[in-house]
Amino acid sequence: MNIVRVDMNARKITREIFEPAFTGMGGRGLTSFFINREVPPGCDPLGPDNKLVFAPGFFSGSTLVNTSRFSIGAKSPMTRGIKESNVGGTVAADMARTGISAIIVEGRPNNGQSFILKVDQKGDVTLHDADQYWGKRTYDLVASIKEFYGNKISITCIGPAGEQQLSAASIQATDRDGRPCRAAGRGGLGAVMGSKGLKALIIEKSATNAEPIQDLEGFKASAKIFAKAVMDDEFSAEILPELGSAVLVEPINAAGAFPTRNAREGQFEDADKISGEALAQIIKSRGGKPNHKGCSGCIINCSNEYVDEKGEFITSSLEYETIWSMGGMIGNNDLDSIARLDRLCDDIGLDTMSTGVAVAVAMDAGYKEFGDAKAAIEMVEDVARGTAFGKILGHGPEMVGKHFNHDRVPVVKGQSIAAYDPRAIQGMAVTYSTSPMGADHTAGWVVDSNLEAFGGTLDPFSAQGQVENSRNTQIHMAMVDTVGICDFAQTGFGAPDGLENVCKMIAAKSGKPFCEADWKSTGKMIIQTELEFNKNAGFTKEQDRLPRMFYEEPLPPHNKVVVIQDDDMDSTFAF
């Protein structure tokens, strides 16, 4: 593996050949390995001892569809533990084709200078002065960078929130249209990037130096089977292209699991106004694109382009989690304002989930009224302006709760929950509590196995089977994030012998045997690596707990609480 190290203090770039620690190493497995091995667990996340690791998935840059997934790892300023944040767009495929498996950014400039890190088609890496770009929001930044460096590049960057080193700061990446609308949002890794003085990473397109696939014909044959399964599946081939991830609004709301008004309710009475169906209708009526290809190698096209009444572009892609966080969670039923809040977060470089929940906590504390979209926009603008309240909001919901002395703060390890209330889907209580990453839905999405509408067989209100199900899903997802397969393309596992087929591709690329047992054991090893870091950082069982509100406040309309006991939570990863 070709590893590039960038010392921001000495402004020195070095290369090393690294023998993979396990077969299929890439993405999350690679970032977590290096963070655990090289970052002092007790260090200041924004200090010189933390490291920022960029790594495309193991399959990124190959002919396998939907594998342009980019993992970014560091010690998180939000959770204070290990963190991998994942983003799509074009950067993973473009970086993989340069032959670089990971870029490790170390130290920080002593004099406050800022830099752009550039990787050219040959894989040569250089640092460039970026002082003229510091202070720019991401859309303006991308336009300025392209004016100087040309259009044939992928850009990964931070906005004002990252520059201010705020805990909810995202890292934005460009899509196929060159817009910084894809976000590695969770865990505040934009703040780590800002602490390194790194404004942007740019990768030239059309490189041809990707690591060779040892059995190319075998890989292609399995990749073809995987792609066919994706296109044969109704959800990935028909529903997602038509409605995008917003298709989840109506069924999750119907299940009473749509956290509303800072999770005081499980249903939003105006869900139909912000649903996938409503979103698609508005976009079509205004001449936007309800079906849009956002990432390299995508055959699903779940993205969209939301436009205003004049047909002018606002944002891409408006997704379920943002529609929830800027919609139902704050009591807002206006898709136009939700779209503007999404664009604003992308432009400032903020995680929409953490920011929406932070706004919800402020509203719940009485700072503003639920449903006041104008106030929400002004609050988020405060972050860019660097006001006193903007800094509080930009550090996420936990900081907002402390500011208002308000204890209804739906976070685990400092990170906000996602758009599934754990009182109505008990399996998500396990994932939120036990994931090494904080309350992260993608780390172990068990909604499908809990809700009958998705073919689920578990009782969503019961503890039975939930710990085992979440554990197995989290182990599986550690590998999905390592090889770089898009969540929505997991329908490719539905092919006959689907997991075996994916394992064949790992073996074909690496030239080493790899089977289903290896998939599970490697996923388990990755999670153990992450748990080891967190333990050494001082985490105890107390960090694997939901806030008391989820145990003590029955959630309408089902009036249920989380019923999974602490001992059962603690058994999740008692390997």
Side-chain angles (χ1 to χ4, degrees):
M1 303 180 82
N2 188 351
I3 307 297
V4 173
R5 291 185 182 272
V6 183
D7 185 331
M8 299 302 292
N9 181 29
R11 302 180 203 174
K12 182 180 179 182
I13 297 171
T14 57
R15 290 178 179 270
E16 61 189 62
I17 301 301
F18 172 76
E19 185 64 28
F22 58 84
T23 303
M25 196 171 192
R28 174 177 167 183
L30 196 54
T31 62
S32 291
F33 173 86
F34 277 118
I35 295 305
N36 186 50
R37 188 179 77 165
E38 300 185 5
V39 174
C43 76
D44 177 358
L46 302 178
D49 292 333
N50 198 6
K51 298 187 180 184
L52 188 67
V53 184
F54 299 98
F58 183 70
F59 289 146
S60 298
S62 73
T63 57
L64 180 61
V65 299
N66 291 79
T67 54
S68 187
R69 302 301 304 183
F70 199 49
S71 290
I72 306 174
K75 178 177 179 179
S76 165
M78 177 170 279
T79 71
R80 312 293 294 188
I82 200 166
K83 189 65 188 173
E84 180 262 3
S85 195
N86 198 283
V87 66
T90 61
V91 61
D94 288 338
M95 181 168 155
R97 290 172 186 143
T98 69
I100 297 173
S101 299
I103 297 174
I104 303 174
V105 182
E106 307 172 331
R108 64 180 180 187
N110 288 326
N111 54 8
Q113 275 190 290
S114 57
F115 297 91
I116 283 175
L117 188 65
K118 179 176 180 287
V119 182
D120 68 16
Q121 287 183 342
K122 297 178 181 179
D124 292 334
V125 183
T126 49
L127 275 171
H128 302 247
D129 180 81
D131 286 351
Q132 70 271 34
Y133 300 111
W134 203 256
K136 287 183 178 291
R137 297 190 183 190
T138 66
Y139 273 82
D140 185 22
L141 171 69
V142 164
S144 299
I145 288 176
K146 286 184 175 182
E147 186 176 351
F148 185 82
Y149 291 96
N151 288 318
K152 296 182 179 181
I153 53 176
S154 286
I155 302 171
T156 305
C157 61
I158 58 171
E163 293 175 357
Q164 296 175 49
Q165 301 177 34
L166 302 177
S167 298
S170 62
I171 297 175
Q172 300 295 129
T174 49
D175 69 354
R176 282 169 54 95
D177 296 297
R179 296 176 296 220
C181 55
R182 296 291 185 259
R186 311 249 70 194
L189 300 195
V192 180
M193 192 165 169
S195 74
K196 304 295 182 190
L198 186 60
K199 182 64 174 175
L201 165 67
I202 63 177
I203 313 285
E204 286 189 349
K205 293 181 175 293
S206 304
T208 57
N209 303 318
E211 288 187 356
I213 295 173
Q214 300 303 312
D215 177 9
L216 185 57
E217 292 307 312
F219 187 92
K220 286 181 178 179
S222 290
K224 185 176 180 180
I225 292 170
F226 187 94
K228 184 178 185 300
V230 173
M231 295 314 295
D232 285 347
D233 186 90
E234 181 185 12
F235 183 69
S236 52
E238 299 178 25
I239 296 173
L240 281 173
E242 181 182 356
L243 301 176
S245 63
V247 67
L248 294 172
V249 172
E250 289 281 18
I252 301 301
N253 192 67
F258 195 66
T260 299
R261 297 181 185 87
N262 198 33
R264 287 189 176 274
E265 304 151 77
Q267 288 182 323
F268 185 39
E269 68 279 6
D270 288 332
D272 62 317
K273 296 180 181 179
I274 61 173
S275 67
E277 293 79 4
L279 176 66
Q281 190 278 325
I282 289 175
I283 292 174
K284 288 175 184 177
S285 70
R286 294 175 177 179
K289 294 181 181 178
N291 178 294
H292 173 251
K293 191 185 297 292
C295 303
S296 296
C298 179
I299 60 171
I300 295 176
N301 303 344
C302 72
S303 180
N304 54 53
E305 289 184 350
Y306 194 94
V307 297
D308 64 16
E309 292 179 347
K310 297 179 181 178
E312 295 180 359
F313 175 83
I314 297 178
T315 194
S316 175
S317 162
L318 196 52
E319 299 188 16
Y320 170 65
E321 303 293 342
T322 302
I323 289 172
W324 158 73
S325 64
M326 298 299 185
M329 191 63 167
I330 66 172
N332 176 25
N333 65 9
D334 177 48
L335 273 172
D336 280 348
S337 63
I338 293 171
R340 293 192 183 282
L341 283 160
D342 182 54
R343 167 62 178 265
L344 195 55
C345 284
D346 287 347
D347 210 19
I348 297 171
L350 280 170
D351 174 27
T352 57
M353 280 186 274
S354 292
T355 305
V357 174
V359 170
V361 172
M363 289 179 169
D364 201 21
Y367 181 66
K368 299 290 181 182
E369 294 292 326
F370 279 120
D372 190 339
K374 182 179 178 182
I377 290 171
E378 290 174 351
M379 290 163 73
V380 176
E381 280 283 8
D382 274 344
V383 178
R385 287 192 286 261
T387 67
F389 181 75
K391 291 183 183 296
I392 293 167
L393 189 77
H395 278 300
E398 189 168 59
M399 181 68 77
V400 173
K402 290 178 180 177
H403 174 72
F404 289 111
N405 194 27
H406 190 66
D407 62 0
R408 297 194 73 263
V409 183
V411 301
V412 180
K413 300 179 180 73
Q415 181 168 273
S416 73
I417 66 163
Y420 316 91
D421 198 294
R423 290 165 289 187
I425 304 176
Q426 298 285 321
M428 292 308 296
V430 182
T431 294
Y432 288 155
S433 297
T434 64
S435 168
M437 303 292 173
D440 189 335
H441 65 295
T442 63
W445 195 80
V446 293
V447 174
D448 54 344
S449 54
N450 270 262
L451 298 185
E452 187 176 351
F454 294 88
T457 57
L458 293 177
D459 180 353
F461 304 120
S462 168
Q464 187 172 0
Q466 301 292 2
V467 168
E468 181 182 9
N469 188 41
S470 177
R471 176 197 304 122
N472 292 337
T473 304
Q474 290 191 61
I475 290 171
H476 173 74
M477 282 308 304
M479 279 303 296
V480 169
D481 291 338
T482 293
V483 298
I485 292 174
C486 170
D487 259 9
F488 292 151
Q490 286 202 70
T491 51
F493 286 93
D497 301 317
L499 178 54
E500 180 183 351
N501 185 57
V502 172
C503 292
K504 285 180 179 179
M505 284 188 280
I506 295 176
K509 181 178 177 184
S510 67
K512 299 177 182 178
F514 196 88
C515 64
E516 293 183 37
D518 296 320
W519 177 274
K520 294 175 183 177
S521 63
T522 307
K524 178 179 174 181
M525 180 180 65
I526 292 165
I527 288 181
Q528 286 175 315
T529 296
E530 295 163 352
L531 292 171
E532 180 181 34
F533 182 92
N534 285 353
K535 180 180 180 181
N536 291 334
F539 282 34
T540 67
K541 295 176 181 179
E542 295 307 309
Q543 274 72 43
D544 290 344
R545 299 288 184 265
L546 291 160
R548 295 312 308 169
M549 58 184 280
F550 292 115
Y551 298 97
E552 297 171 353
E553 297 180 19
L555 179 73
H558 301 296
N559 296 316
K560 302 291 185 179
V561 297
V562 170
V563 297
I564 299 171
Q565 300 299 307
D566 289 351
D567 287 348
D568 291 328
M569 289 289 192
D570 295 340
S571 73
T572 304
F573 295 126
F575 295 131

